[in-house]
Amino acid sequence: MNISKLYHVDKKNIKALEALLTECFEEDPLYKKLIPDEQRRKKLLPELFECDLEELFSTCEIYADSKALNGMIVVCDETRSYNKFKIFLEEMHAYFKTNHYLIKEDPSLKTFYNFIIGKDYLNSKWTEEIHKDNRLHIIYLAVRPSMQHHGISSQLIESVLEYAQERKLVVSLETHNEQNVKFYENFGFQLFEIVEKHFNLKQYCLVYNLT
């Protein structure tokens, strides 16, 4: 997958991406539900995003607005063929490493329990209902708060949608912030369904180019 208009990020930037995701998602409704304690959340998120990014670099493409990394988008290309055994091993490694951090930072196991019952908010399971092999899934779209309203989000998402349009691909994503729904609808996304399980939290599932 090659989106020439964006800066392709490699693994040497993992710490910068980890910091960017932490800054962008520490007040996200999902993570506030999963990790209610603010201090624990600030401590845990960098560790969790580290695990996540290590896996994502093997299974996804990560792009930024520029080398400054003021914004990033993580895209999983479902049209690609992967080494399923290798992916399984990487997922297991990330799973056990994540659980280690959850238990280490909260020995009461309350946070660990939240992640277990909230797994359907984290695994994009809803996309199985689309049944499309010609699909891209946007896992993260994040722009540094101090750089928002500068067109970076539009640059990132428009570049991915242009790539998808040229190849007649469906694009899917989810957000847990209702205010984001209108933003994505402005680009042509349509609300596919709303998932609400276990928590008083809604996951808004959106699709683009689904015919």
Side-chain angles (χ1 to χ4, degrees):
M1 181 176 179
N2 180 27
I3 302 178
S4 57
K5 292 183 178 181
L6 299 178
Y7 174 69
H8 192 258
V9 186
D10 58 37
K11 205 166 184 178
K12 69 182 181 184
N13 299 115
I14 193 167
K15 284 298 180 183
L17 296 178
E18 174 190 310
L20 176 59
L21 287 172
T22 300
E23 185 178 1
C24 292
F25 285 97
E26 62 183 0
E27 294 300 319
D28 184 80
L30 172 61
Y31 291 103
K32 290 178 75 172
K33 284 290 183 182
L34 294 173
I35 317 171
D37 182 83
E38 183 178 358
Q39 293 304 313
R40 182 171 289 134
R41 188 165 65 251
K42 287 183 177 180
K43 192 170 183 180
L44 256 175
L45 282 183
E47 298 173 326
L48 299 182
F49 285 132
E50 176 195 352
C51 296
D52 212 6
L53 286 164
E54 287 177 355
E55 180 183 349
L56 292 175
F57 268 111
S58 299
T59 59
C60 303
E61 302 292 338
I62 303 178
Y63 294 95
D65 59 309
S66 66
K67 290 183 179 180
L69 302 181
N70 288 313
M72 63 178 287
I73 191 165
V74 181
V75 185
C76 182
D77 185 351
E78 301 292 344
T79 67
R80 286 177 54 187
S81 58
Y82 296 96
N83 184 322
K84 293 183 179 180
F85 180 70
K86 182 180 178 182
I87 291 176
F88 173 78
L89 292 178
E90 289 167 347
E91 288 176 346
M92 287 299 98
H93 175 74
Y95 174 78
F96 287 115
K97 193 172 181 179
T98 296
N99 290 345
H100 166 73
Y101 285 135
L102 294 175
I103 296 169
K104 180 189 70 172
E105 301 297 348
D106 183 8
S108 73
L109 302 184
K110 290 180 180 178
T111 306
F112 178 65
Y113 177 72
N114 285 345
F115 272 73
I116 290 177
I117 64 173
K119 66 181 187 303
D120 286 335
Y121 290 100
L122 294 163
N123 59 18
S124 301
K125 190 175 178 62
W126 68 273
T127 57
E128 294 176 1
E129 300 176 37
I130 300 175
H131 298 300
K132 291 284 185 180
D133 294 327
N134 59 327
R135 182 170 58 85
L136 305 177
H137 186 69
I138 297 175
I139 297 176
Y140 289 121
L141 174 64
V143 175
R144 197 178 310 283
S146 63
M147 293 300 295
Q148 291 178 1
H149 311 295
H150 287 72
I152 294 175
S153 294
S154 296
Q155 174 192 358
L156 293 169
I157 200 146
E158 284 174 352
S159 298
V160 171
L161 295 184
E162 183 179 322
Y163 177 93
Q165 282 279 39
E166 291 173 353
R167 292 157 180 80
K168 296 181 172 55
L169 303 176
V170 176
V171 184
S172 56
L173 60 81
E174 63 264 345
T175 180
H176 305 92
N177 189 334
E178 186 177 6
Q179 295 178 351
N180 292 339
V181 174
K182 186 64 176 177
F183 169 79
Y184 289 117
E185 287 178 337
N186 288 336
F187 291 99
F189 280 88
Q190 295 180 321
L191 186 63
F192 182 77
E193 70 172 329
I194 299 175
V195 175
E196 188 170 7
K197 295 182 179 181
H198 307 299
F199 293 118
N200 181 24
L201 176 70
K202 293 181 178 179
Q203 177 173 269
Y204 300 91
C205 307
L206 296 110
V207 292
Y208 174 87
N209 208 28
L210 182 65
T211 56

